[in-house]
Amino acid sequence: MIESWRWYGEFDAITLPEVAQTGARGIVSALHAIPYGEVWPRDAIAARRKEIVAAGFDWVVVESLPVHERIKRGEGDLPQLFANYRQSMANLAAEGVTRICYNFMPLLDWTRTDLAAPVAGGAACLRFDAARMAAFEIHMLGRAAAEDDYLSEVRARAAVWFQRSTDAERAALVSAIMAGLPGAFDRYDVDGLRRALAAYDGIGRDALRTNYKRFLDEVVPAAEDLGILLCVHPDDPPRDILGLPRIVSDGDDLEWILRAADSPANGVTLCSGSLGANPGNDVPDIARRVAGRIHFAHLRNVRKDPDGSFEEAAHLDGDTDMVALMRVLLEEEARRAGEGRADHAIPFRPDHGHHMLSDLDRDLISGYPLIGRLRGLAELRGVARALAHG
C-alpha cells in the first residue's frame, strides 16, 4: 500500500518537510483556490506537482476535483460544466496525476457539530452530536420536516441546548457545520444555507441518482481515454442530512454506482470512517464487495452512540475492525499483483486524527493535525507489516 498524506497546499500550516518526517511517500492534494466548476489550468497543476516532487513525494491522488452544485441539481449550463471537468481531467493526466477523488454530497462535505470535543487524556477530536445538529436544524434553521429525522429524546435535548446556548455558542455551531469545506468558496450563514437548501426543493434520492448517472456518463468515457481512475467518496455522515438525500452511504449505494458506469475508471474511495458512522454498515464486508474497484482508501475510525451521534476514535480503537479491513485491502493488492498489474498498490492515507500535544497550540485545519495523523499512520503501518508477515 502507498502511504500517503493529505496536504492543503497554501491553506495548510503543516509543511512538506514536516510531512516527510512521517514516512509517507505520497501526497494527496488539490487546487483549492480555484472556484468550483472552473478549469484547472495545466500550469497551475504543474506548479503544484513540481512543489510536491521537489520535496521528495509523488502526487498520488487529487482530492478533490469538485463537482459543481448545478451538476448535482441537474440545472443550468451543464454541457459547459461537464466540458470543464473533462478538461481539468485532461490537464491532470498530462501532468501525470491520474487518480481523482470526488464526492456527490449536496452542498456540504463532511459535517460535524464539534471541532474540538474532549478526548480522555487531554486531546481533542471531531464529533457529530445528534442533539446539537437537531438544535441547528429545528431551532436555528427552522427546517419544517427536521423533527421527523430525530428521536424524541434527541429533540428534547436539542431544545434544552438551544434554550441555554449563547449567541457565541450558536455561532460556533454554524462554523463547525461549515468547516468541512477547507479551501471552498461557498460558506453559508443560516439565511444563506436556507436559500441554498431551497435550490434542492423537489430533488429526492431518485432525482439525485439520475443527475449522478448523467455525470458518470459525461466523464467516465473521458477518464478511460485519459487513463484516469475516478474514485467517489462516501457520504459523511452516511445519512440524509438537512433534508438532502445522500446516495453514497452503504454497500448497496456503492454497487449501484459501479453498475451505473461499469468501467475500471469508475471506482471507490473506501473511507472507513464515513461508512463506519452508519450502524448498519459492516465496513470490511463492504470493502470485500467492491474490492476490485477500490482506487484509494481513507483509513480512520469512529465510535458511535445509540442516538446517532459519533466521534472520531483513535485509528485502531473505534467500532470498525481495522485489522480485518486492512486484510481485505492487502488481499486485493495481492490479487492485482498476481494479475501482473503495475498499479496494484492502493494509495491510502490516515484520515482525520486527534489534535494532541503541541498540535493543540497550532492553527491547523480541523481534523487534519500533524501528530494525530502521524500516530494513525504509524499504527496502520504496523498492522500492514504484521499482516504481510502472516
Side-chain angles (χ1 to χ4, degrees), residues 301-304 311-322:
N301 225 322
V302 296
R303 183 176 294 108
K304 299 181 288 294
E311 67 182 27
E312 310 282 355
H315 285 72
L316 302 185
D317 291 343
D319 296 338
T320 294
D321 186 340
M322 193 63 69

Side-chain angles (χ1 to χ4, degrees), residues 316 322-327 330 377-389:
L316 302 185
M322 193 63 69
V323 176
L325 177 58
M326 290 286 282
R327 182 179 288 113
L330 288 169
L377 179 58
E379 292 176 341
L380 296 167
R381 180 185 296 136
V383 170
R385 294 286 179 88
L387 289 171
H389 283 278

Side-chain angles (χ1 to χ4, degrees), residues 188-323:
Y188 308 105
D189 57 16
V190 173
D191 288 337
L193 183 57
R194 286 195 193 101
R195 291 191 294 272
L197 289 171
Y200 276 89
D201 285 350
I203 299 177
R205 179 179 177 84
D206 290 343
L208 191 60
R209 271 191 167 184
T210 296
N211 297 339
Y212 189 15
K213 176 66 164 61
R214 181 176 179 183
F215 169 75
L216 293 174
D217 290 343
E218 292 280 354
V219 302
V220 170
E224 292 174 338
D225 293 341
L226 294 165
I228 278 180
L229 298 176
L230 296 167
C231 33
V232 65
H233 187 285
D235 303 324
D236 187 8
R239 48 162 283 188
D240 292 357
I241 192 168
L242 296 171
L244 299 169
R246 293 291 183 95
I247 59 171
V248 195
S249 291
D250 57 26
D252 290 343
D253 287 343
L254 292 177
E255 289 187 332
W256 178 88
I257 291 164
L258 300 184
R259 290 193 304 269
D262 190 8
S263 165
N266 178 34
V268 171
T269 296
L270 196 288
C271 181
S272 58
S274 297
L275 293 169
N278 183 336
N281 283 343
D282 179 333
V283 180
D285 179 66
I286 292 173
R288 290 187 193 94
R289 291 168 60 181
V290 300
R293 304 269 277 279
I294 294 174
H295 298 327
F296 181 35
H298 291 176
L299 299 180
R300 63 180 172 89
N301 225 322
V302 296
R303 183 176 294 108
K304 299 181 288 294
D305 298 330
D307 68 355
S309 303
F310 62 89
E311 67 182 27
E312 310 282 355
H315 285 72
L316 302 185
D317 291 343
D319 296 338
T320 294
D321 186 340
M322 193 63 69
V323 176

